[in-house]
Amino acid sequence: MTDSSVHTEAAVTPATGPEGQGKDKGEDGRGRGPRQRSSRRAGRILRWSAASLAVLVLGTAGAGYFYYEHLNHNIKKARLNLGDSAAPEAAPNAAGQTPLNILLIGSDSRNTARNLKLGGSRDDVGRPPLADVQMLVHLSADRTNMSVVSLPRDTMIPIPKCTDPKNGHVYDALPLAMANRSLERGGPGCTVAAWTELTHHQVHIDHFMMVDFSGVVDMADAIGGVPVCVDQNVWSRHGSGLKLRKGETRVTGVQALQWLRTRYGFEDGTDIGRTHAQHMYMNSMARELRKNARIDKPAQMRALAEAATKALTVDDGLGTIKKLYDLMGEMQKVPTERITTTTLPVVEWPQDPDRRIPAPGDAEQVLSMIIDDAPMDGRASTPKPAQQPQDPSQDTAAAQADIAVQVRNGTGSATLAQVPGRAGAVVQVLQGKGFTRAVQDGTAASGADTSVQFPSADLEGDAQAVAEALGIPSGRVHQSTGVSGVTLTVGADWRTGDAYPKTVTPDRPPASAAVQHGDEVGCMKVQKGYTW
């Protein structure tokens, strides 16, 4: 175990900095790392702590069993993916290792008396909660580094069709909508589906963890508070209500929730500043857990176990103490200084200055590093072999002349006009390659990325043949009930040319991503007009 062993719980908590939907008229509208010697000492402490936790949980044959079941019962579970398709699992590297991707979700639910008291209006009681904080945690295949990418809640993204598992209600796809709306469309599994779409069906999300307002409060209290810092006195008088003096403060309970929810008071008063504050909280909480998770503090460890299990909603595949512990073990392998946090680069949406869209080029660069398992701290990782192809389809492709292909023009986006005649041009390319049954499909596909979809397994081989002929990566081929046959969507990432453009994985994210490292210590900049 390394000195980042408790990062799982640190990562979970900042996902609960929610706020409401709609125009932002207020908060309720819709370290430096240890030296090598202390690092080794922290590793020993954590090994002892793990043994202590095992004793606490397992205890005697009788009492320990009932306590273990009690903790399991605390954990709430939901389906992982409510969309029509999931991204294929990543191919293993030369050592047989694969990356892990965990989506952290902060719910703004006011549907309990306690959550309502902690924030929000009574008008919000009964409405479906929103995913106002979303962070994708990417654990590298070789476990040498971890990247955390936040998505600002007011970012406009496509949200795919989702089916509510409780009542079977089908939510139609939304071409562009606020990212936080995904949660209200059946639950956290629809937020997972939206990230699958956002990452071009190339990032397989293994698990999700979701927490609400009260979960933040309980976790902050259980750990004894989390140190945060501001560069001058701050008072979010028109927002969360956070009021702190200049310098470092150990925030607990409601004050910790205020910190995570504060938008008006940090940096430029946008969601970007809020995500930076959440990253600071996340890194600081990791250090506190490392320092306090000790064998001589069994009561605190038990309180943390109670708080964490009661706070969490997870996917079915992560719904026991053992599975959570195993996941923590994987995250413990990453040194604290190799944990990076960033925000997906966004720009103002031309149709509404209060909304954002993924920044052309820069957002793709960040996502491509996740897709290609590239470290975001600029340091070399274990040499990686050439990308292994997706497992070959068991379905044999028909002759090219017998494959019917529908081609859609999806080259338009929030910032780019659609390329006229693009679908027809690609149809001609396909016909020239022998796909004589290729035709245009006028279905609207603005904002989409290039992909090849097929409705049933018997057409998978045909879809892969189309992708191969055009140089489209096999990871862009996936099954969907939203098409009636093999369907090629020519996206905004392929506006010209006869072959899909090859990309090169960057060695670091763009400057607009504002990467923070786990060993960095600093203070949040206070927004002008919010001092006292």
Side-chain angles (χ1 to χ4, degrees):
M1 298 184 184
T2 66
D3 63 359
S4 62
S5 69
V6 287
H7 188 70
T8 297
E9 293 184 334
V12 172
T13 302
T16 56
E19 292 183 340
Q21 182 184 13
K23 303 276 186 181
D24 263 315
K25 299 178 181 178
E27 301 296 342
D28 292 326
R30 293 283 297 178
R32 184 175 304 277
R35 296 181 182 272
Q36 186 175 2
R37 180 182 303 173
S38 60
S39 175
R40 291 196 296 268
R41 182 168 61 252
R44 291 195 296 271
I45 289 172
L46 289 164
R47 286 193 289 273
W48 299 335
S49 300
S52 176
L53 182 60
V55 171
L56 285 171
V57 172
L58 298 178
T60 64
Y65 169 79
F66 286 115
Y67 185 56
Y68 177 81
E69 288 302 309
H70 162 74
L71 292 178
N72 281 339
H73 182 72
N74 285 346
I75 304 170
K76 298 174 286 294
K77 296 179 284 292
R79 191 177 300 175
L80 176 62
N81 191 331
L82 303 184
D84 287 338
S85 61
E89 294 188 11
N93 62 16
Q97 304 163 308
T98 55
L100 273 173
N101 295 293
I102 303 98
L103 185 61
L104 308 179
I105 304 169
S107 162
D108 77 341
S109 173
R110 273 85 167 186
N111 293 330
T112 68
R114 189 176 178 210
N115 278 334
L116 178 61
K117 184 178 180 180
L118 288 170
S121 164
R122 292 190 179 276
D123 293 340
D124 289 328
V125 175
R127 69 157 171 79
L130 302 171
D132 273 355
V133 174
Q134 301 174 38
M135 294 183 181
L136 181 64
V137 177
H138 175 79
L139 184 60
S140 69
D142 60 12
R143 305 301 188 256
T144 63
N145 62 92
M146 183 189 302
S147 302
V148 182
V149 180
S150 292
L151 178 66
R153 66 163 191 151
D154 57 2
T155 306
M156 304 297 290
I157 63 171
I159 299 180
K161 182 178 75 173
C162 291
T163 302
D164 191 328
K166 296 179 181 177
N167 55 26
H169 179 74
V170 176
Y171 294 90
D172 292 334
L174 300 175
L176 278 180
M178 276 181 65
N180 66 351
R181 291 193 56 192
S182 58
L183 185 61
E184 70 179 0
R185 299 163 61 79
C190 193
T191 305
V192 169
W195 273 84
T196 300
E197 190 89 3
L198 180 66
T199 58
H200 322 305
H201 288 82
Q202 293 191 79
V203 173
H204 179 79
I205 296 178
D206 300 278
H207 301 292
F208 71 77
M209 297 179 179
M210 182 173 73
V211 286
D212 60 13
F213 289 176
S214 59
V216 174
V217 171
D218 291 342
M219 284 294 295
D221 285 343
I223 196 176
V226 176
V228 295
C229 184
V230 289
D231 67 354
Q232 54 185 310
N233 294 352
V234 62
W235 184 13
S236 183
R237 57 176 64 85
H238 302 307
S240 70
L242 179 72
K243 190 174 185 179
L244 297 176
R245 291 189 178 279
K246 177 182 177 179
E248 184 177 289
T249 302
R250 181 176 291 269
V251 293
T252 59
V254 174
Q255 202 171 47
L257 178 63
Q258 290 175 329
W259 175 275
L260 292 168
R261 297 184 66 207
T262 294
R263 168 173 178 164
Y264 300 117
F266 289 150
E267 297 184 355
D268 60 355
T270 69
D271 269 339
I272 305 302
R274 176 164 49 196
T275 61
H276 293 165
Q278 291 164 357
H279 294 161
M280 175 186 287
Y281 185 98
M282 177 180 187
N283 289 332
S284 184
M285 189 171 188
R287 291 191 292 271
E288 286 301 300
L289 284 166
R290 182 177 65 243
K291 181 172 64 176
N292 293 316
R294 294 173 49 181
I295 193 170
D296 59 348
K297 296 183 178 182
Q300 186 178 50
M301 292 176 66
R302 181 165 180 161
L304 281 168
E306 287 282 352
T309 54
K310 288 179 179 177
L312 286 174
T313 299
V314 301
D315 62 278
D316 293 323
L318 200 57
T320 68
I321 288 294
K322 182 183 184 306
K323 290 175 180 177
L324 286 169
Y325 184 78
D326 289 344
L327 176 60
M328 181 183 291
E330 290 302 300
M331 300 179 106
Q332 288 170 352
K333 299 174 182 178
V334 180
T336 304
E337 66 272 12
R338 300 280 329 258
I339 298 171
T340 54
T341 53
T342 186
T343 302
L344 189 74
V346 293
V347 294
E348 184 179 295
W349 187 32
Q351 298 183 32
D352 186 344
D354 291 328
R355 298 288 172 261
R356 300 292 181 267
I357 55 172
D362 284 5
E364 288 293 324
Q365 185 172 333
V366 169
L367 293 178
S368 70
M369 296 186 75
I370 295 292
I371 291 168
D372 293 331
D373 194 28
M376 291 198 187
D377 58 6
R379 294 171 56 179
S381 186
T382 301
K384 182 180 177 183
Q387 181 67 34
Q388 299 185 35
Q390 183 177 332
D391 290 340
S393 170
Q394 300 302 311
D395 174 55
T396 303
Q400 293 176 336
D402 295 330
I403 298 176
V405 187
Q406 301 172 67
V407 182
R408 297 175 179 175
N409 188 346
T411 55
S413 71
T415 57
L416 297 171
Q418 190 176 78
V419 178
R422 184 63 180 146
V426 175
V427 165
Q428 292 182 13
V429 173
L430 282 170
Q431 290 178 344
K433 292 179 177 293
F435 294 89
T436 55
R437 296 181 62 192
V439 297
Q440 293 187 55
D441 179 350
T443 303
S446 180
D449 293 289
T450 299
S451 65
V452 183
Q453 297 173 303
F454 57 94
S456 55
D458 61 312
L459 291 176
E460 182 176 4
D462 292 355
Q464 290 286 1
V466 171
E468 183 178 358
L470 296 171
I472 299 171
S474 61
R476 294 289 183 98
V477 180
H478 53 90
Q479 187 171 349
S480 171
T481 58
V483 296
S484 59
V486 176
T487 302
L488 164 63
T489 299
V490 185
D493 54 348
W494 187 20
R495 293 169 61 85
T496 61
D498 292 349
Y500 185 77
K502 295 182 189 247
T503 58
V504 177
T505 303
D507 60 2
R508 61 181 63 244
S512 60
V515 172
Q516 295 173 294
H517 301 281
D519 57 354
E520 287 181 343
V521 175
C523 294
M524 283 298 298
K525 293 186 180 301
V526 174
Q527 184 182 5
K528 184 178 180 180
Y530 286 86
T531 58
W532 57 279

